Amino acid sequence: MPISVFRRWGYAMLPDEAARSQVTVLREEVEPGSEAQIDYGFLGQWINVRTQAGGTGSGRS
């Protein structure tokens, strides 16, 4: 079953749960530079220590 079909079914059968996933969570504003954020979706250039080959790390093995 394609994921799009499953999602449509889920939204139709579980509207309250689907609406909960659309909620925006507000948080306090912080001073610039007072916190760090990490994007695990793209880790940048990593070098394989065994092969010395460079590559783009995706955060997945």
Side-chain angles (χ1 to χ4, degrees), residues 14-44:
L14 306 166
D16 293 335
E17 287 80 359
R20 241 184 272 149
S21 69
Q22 309 271 329
V23 172
T24 300
V25 177
L26 300 176
R27 61 185 201 89
E28 283 187 43
E29 291 292 322
V30 296
E31 293 295 318
S34 65
E35 71 177 18
Q37 296 182 2
I38 298 173
D39 180 1
Y40 288 104
F42 180 74
L43 297 175

Side-chain angles (χ1 to χ4, degrees), residues 40-48 53-61:
Y40 288 104
F42 180 74
L43 297 175
Q45 290 288 325
W46 286 57
I47 295 176
N48 184 328
T56 303
S58 65
R60 292 177 237 132
S61 334

